[in-house]
Amino acid sequence: MLIKKYKIKLSRINTILISHLHGDHYYGLIGLLSTLHLYGRKTVLKIFGPPGLRDIISLQLKYSETRLTYDIDFREWEPNVSSVIYEDDKMMIKTVPLEHRVSCSGYLFQEKPKSRRIRREAVEGHLTPSQVNLLKMGEDVYNEDNQLIYDAKLVTLPPYRPFSYAFCSDTRYKPSLIETLNKVDLVYHEATFMHDMLDRAQNTYHTTARQAAELARDANIGKLLLGHFSTRYRDLNPLLVEARQYFENTELAIEGEKFVVSE
Ligand SMILES: [Zn+2]
Ligand SMILES: [Zn+2]
């Protein structure tokens, strides 16, 4: 329903990452899988998640006698181990083991170094693919007679810097994340309770707004997004105020809000 509301194209979804098997984090999955089926999806869908997810989904499909129009490629990660689960020439995704009542993992998305940007307005005529590649690597382009045609310094701009984002769902305050999240540009971290409920947070394997902010400060991150608030808080502002005392650049991850990661 929210994917529809926010006008996200279903056809652009090729990978789904699940953090853990508590209902508030994946009960919507079978509904989404059914919707994709009703739309007649053909391309493979990759689903990353904890062990058990494949069995649960397979059982639901079995007893509803559903034969999906597409294949699911389940990739269950190993709990408590940080591993690279996805990599291409632009980015990689790593699991971030968390401390929750059941196996739970966040995800760290890291862009790879980017190539230089071609200033199209500075280029006369058409560039061949190999010329584009040379310029993006910062190398000058010569013709067959060894005459300079394009000076990379003049027709390209420096690359954008690579950005990173981490999604840390349900977890107790975990000090080792200070190292894992070091200098990440944008971090989503749960903040289920305020700090006056620290005991409750610890007993239920959750984090307080203050703890999340202290983690953000200690890990030297760019921006912190707080989420997963207990329903006891009708007004979320006190959570934000508490967190900002420890880490100024904090926002509430309100459904539908947009946050700029890169410039
Ligand atoms: Zn949970
Ligand atoms: Zn939860």
Side-chain angles (χ1 to χ4, degrees), residues 9-23:
K9 278 200 181 136
L10 286 174
S11 59
R12 292 197 61 196
I13 299 176
N14 292 309
T15 305
I16 296 176
L17 305 164
I18 300 292
S19 62
H20 67 300
L21 296 180
H22 280 155

Side-chain angles (χ1 to χ4, degrees), residues 20 22 24-25 100 170 206:
H20 67 300
H22 280 155
D24 52 325
H25 296 262
H100 201 40
D170 301 15
H206 286 299

